[in-house]
């Protein structure tokens, strides 16, 4: 379990210098002025499609570059799945489901193989964390202490479920035996984003694998590397070929091909609400179930009794963790009017002290944003915030002239109608709003199309309970933020999603129930 109200801790690997662009992976690495450990991590990846247990090129040879967000330079060229490659992957997953050992082996054996994958990820923790930081830009200290351990924990949690998935015997009216089986759904299409690549992969793999399904996973085009390495470790663990297929590629081609494929029995998606709607429409054509984990505009309500320094730190971490690129970002900081001015002053001080820099420096708290597209989107919101009349208290500008580094940014005097209070910015931009009564803040906090998370900071039991019950969101954090546990359901109200990840709730999305009726010839006799 982690809470991002604490400072991330970890050890430094070393300093790094920019990579140079080049088409060929080894040529890039040869020339790159890059620490040997980073090159070693990159060399561990097979930048291809994983289909039926083999790392293969796209049939037409297409590739796409994955970038180093510190510089914008190419890290590696990765095979780019097209429609026919996705089709190959779905066929491999179908074959593994219909004829392979995975759904047929005992749950205990499946669990053992998932545990083995978790063990291998632990053995390769530094290598995987390095890949994650290189591809995504997140501080290595955070990848090592948070993303990797949580992903591994998640797999272990579901490994433990694999032999505990079973049906029921149900009493019926009449002389009838009735019981249920919980069976896997079949081939699962999973589409994941770039903000927590390895963690999102683990969240999706855990319940799908434990349930005995086979998978085609479309990883984000910004961050394909760590997932591919995990795919190789899954094979090494003994998870049979075809059970986990990975197709890096674009959303509009590979993602759309997967979401609309007639051979897929369920779609699970994490990403923007906009794309979530498209996925749902595509799934409707094939009448397959969909789970969606989408965006948010989560309110964090600071009450007048709050320990101010603790509340400022928690609100800061709630928004700035992972460079603000969290679906759960506490992106509306509601502060009571009696402490508002002092809170803003301290929030600005905290933001101004933030260590922004190379993700491989030990002291770094904030690395670059993931991509040029996201970087520009955030800058445009900062501009809109100023135009619409919010007070820019701190930051707002780019740092340096290469890569996607941004100043931690704080706005005060933000009102509900402003774009920065309504839209998901997905960046290091804190918006501080003022409130005066519990009834009013509850209504305002809920006045959003989203409902992923919400939080309250107070020692007053009455306020904590009233707000926890009144806030319309799938997760409520009281005096903490971004605390997760593999066993506790996580998902969205309203347009933040459908279904739940984690816990038994997620497993139920990856199995289906079969009911069996069997008339008995003799009347039931308990004395027999
Ligand atoms: P996105 O929703 O476009 O991408 C997420 C995944 O969906 C990626 O793997 C992408 O390739 C895939 N995808 C995109 N279009 C698709 C389509 N038509 N069919 C099937 N798959 C498709 O998110 P993007 O463009 O990376 O970021 C845009 C915004 O979305 C962000 O600024 C942020 O507000 C939000 N977002 C939310 C996330 C969350 O965790 N809820 C994660 C990433 C982005
Ligand atoms: Mg997109």
């Amino acid at each position: 379990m982690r809470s991002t109200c604490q400072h991330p801790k970890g050890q430094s690997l070393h300093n790094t210098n920019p990579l140079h662009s080049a088409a060929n992976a080894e040529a890039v690495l040869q020339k790159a002025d890059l620490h040997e450990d980073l090159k070693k991590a990159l060399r561990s990846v097979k930048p291809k499609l994983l289909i039926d247990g083999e790392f293969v090129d796209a049939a037409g040879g297409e590739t796409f570059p994955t970038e180093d967000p510190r510089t914008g330079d190419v890290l590696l060229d990765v095979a780019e799945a097209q429609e026919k490659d996705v089709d190959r992957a779905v066929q491999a997953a179908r074959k593994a489901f219909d004829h392979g050992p995975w759904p047929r082996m005992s749950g205990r054996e499946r669990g053992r193989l998932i545990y083995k994958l978790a063990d291998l990820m632990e053995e390769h923790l530094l290598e995987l964390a390095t890949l994650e930081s290189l591809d995504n830009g997140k501080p290595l200290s955070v990848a090592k202490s948070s993303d990797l351990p949580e992903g591994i924990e998640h797999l272990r949690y579901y490994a433990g479920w694999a032999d505990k998935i079973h049906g029921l015997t149900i009493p019926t009216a009449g002389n009838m035996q009735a019981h249920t089986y919980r069976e896997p759904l079949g081939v699962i299409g999973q589409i994941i984003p770039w903000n927590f690549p390895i963690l999102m992969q683990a969240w999706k793999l855990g319940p799908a694998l434990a349930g005995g399904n086979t998978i085609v996973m479309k990883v984000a085009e910004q961050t394909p590397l760590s997932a591919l390495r995990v795919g190789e470790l899954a094979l090494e663990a003994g998870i049979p070929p075809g059970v986990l297929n990975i197709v890096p590629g674009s959303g509009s081609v590979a993602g759309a091909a997967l979401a609309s494929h007639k051979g897929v029995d369920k779609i699970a998606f994490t990403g923007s609400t906009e794309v979530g709607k498209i996925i749902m429409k595509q799934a409707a054509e094939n009448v397959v179930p969909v789970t969606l984990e989408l965006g948010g505009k989560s309110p964090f309500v600071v009450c007048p009794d709050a320990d101010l320094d603790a509340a400022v730190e928690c609100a800061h971490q709630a928004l700035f963790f992972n460079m603000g690129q969290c679906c759960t970002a506490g992106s509306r900081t509601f502060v009571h009017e009696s402490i508002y001015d002092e809170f803003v002053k301290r929030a600005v001080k905290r933001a101004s002290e933030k260590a922004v820099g190379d993700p491989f420096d030990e002291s770094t708290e904030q690395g670059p944003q993931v991509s040029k597209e996201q970087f520009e989107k955030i800058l445009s919101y900062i501009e809109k915030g100023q135009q619409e009349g919010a007070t820019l208290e701190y930051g707002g500008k780019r740092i340096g002239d290469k890569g996607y580094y941004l100043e931690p940014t704080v706005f005060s005097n933000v009102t509900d109608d402003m774009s920065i209070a309504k839209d998901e910015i997905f960046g290091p931009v804190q918006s501080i709003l003022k409130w005066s009564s519990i009834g009013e803040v509850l209504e305002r906090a809920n006045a959003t199309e989203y409902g992923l998370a919400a939080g309250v900071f107070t020692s007053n039991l009455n306020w904590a309970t009233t707000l926890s019950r009144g806030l319309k969101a799938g997760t409520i954090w009281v005096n903490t933020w971004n605390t997760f546990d593999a066993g506790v359901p996580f998902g969205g109200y309203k347009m933040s999603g459908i279904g739940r990840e984690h816990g038994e709730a997620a497993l139920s999305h990856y199995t289906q129930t079969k009911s069996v009726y069997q008339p008995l010839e003799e009347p039931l006799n308990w004395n027999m």
Side-chain angles (χ1 to χ4, degrees), residues 137-416:
K138 67 177 66 201
L140 180 67
S141 59
V142 177
K144 280 196 300 184
S145 64
S146 175
D147 300 62
L148 263 294
E150 287 216 8
I152 291 164
E153 173 91 356
H154 211 81
L155 289 174
R156 289 191 174 132
Y157 171 84
Y158 282 105
W161 263 112
D163 61 356
K164 297 168 195 71
I165 301 167
H166 53 72
L168 298 169
T169 307
I170 302 162
T172 57
N175 206 21
M176 186 77 71
Q177 165 78 6
H179 60 273
T180 61
Y181 293 100
R182 275 176 75 193
E183 298 187 340
L185 283 166
V187 175
I188 313 290
Q190 301 184 322
I191 300 172
I192 59 172
W194 44 262
N195 51 347
F196 294 91
I198 219 161
L199 190 59
M200 293 301 104
Q201 185 187 37
W203 284 16
K204 292 279 182 282
L205 289 185
L209 289 175
N213 301 281
T214 61
I215 296 160
V216 179
M217 178 175 279
K218 210 296 280 175
V219 292
E221 54 272 46
Q222 298 84 351
T223 55
L225 300 180
S226 57
L228 287 168
R229 183 69 183 115
V230 169
E232 194 177 12
L233 294 177
L235 292 170
E236 198 179 321
I239 294 176
V243 172
L244 170 57
N245 305 275
I246 302 179
V247 285
S250 76
S252 56
V253 176
L258 184 58
S260 59
H261 201 291
K262 298 212 175 307
V264 168
D265 298 306
K266 173 204 161 65
I267 294 286
F269 170 78
T270 297
S272 61
T273 297
E274 183 195 351
V275 175
K277 291 181 194 173
I278 299 173
I279 302 267
M280 228 179 141
K281 283 185 195 140
Q282 285 167 330
E285 283 300 314
N286 298 330
V287 196
V288 294
V290 186
T291 43
L292 303 172
E293 205 258 274
L294 308 175
K297 194 69 193 175
S298 299
F300 183 53
V301 180
V302 180
C303 294
D305 69 316
D307 169 340
L308 213 51
D309 281 333
V312 165
E313 182 63 24
C314 197
H316 177 86
Q317 297 295 346
L319 185 280
F320 288 96
F321 182 67
N322 207 39
M323 291 73 78
Q325 302 167 147
C326 296
C327 51
T328 53
S331 50
R332 289 182 295 150
T333 311
F334 282 99
V335 178
H336 190 259
E337 59 187 1
S338 63
I339 52 171
Y340 188 84
D341 293 344
E342 186 58 26
F343 186 99
V344 170
K345 213 168 93 190
R346 295 192 202 184
V348 166
K349 180 164 179 291
R350 178 64 183 92
S352 71
E353 288 164 359
K354 196 152 195 80
V356 185
D358 189 298
F360 294 97
D361 282 347
E362 183 175 10
S363 57
T364 293
E365 288 181 278
Q366 180 182 316
Q369 306 308 127
V370 73
S371 67
K372 185 157 187 274
E373 190 186 348
Q374 290 297 313
F375 173 78
E376 284 172 354
K377 175 183 161 186
I378 298 160
L379 280 170
S380 81
Y381 272 109
I382 292 171
E383 206 175 299
K384 265 188 225 165
Q386 290 169 279
Q387 280 165 6
E388 292 176 13
T391 309
L392 178 64
E393 296 277 357
Y394 187 78
K397 294 190 298 296
R398 169 180 210 170
I399 299 176
D401 56 7
K402 83 184 170 208
Y404 311 125
Y405 291 96
L406 281 174
E407 289 176 341
T409 298
V410 179
F411 278 106
S412 68
N413 298 316
V414 178
T415 53
D416 300 349

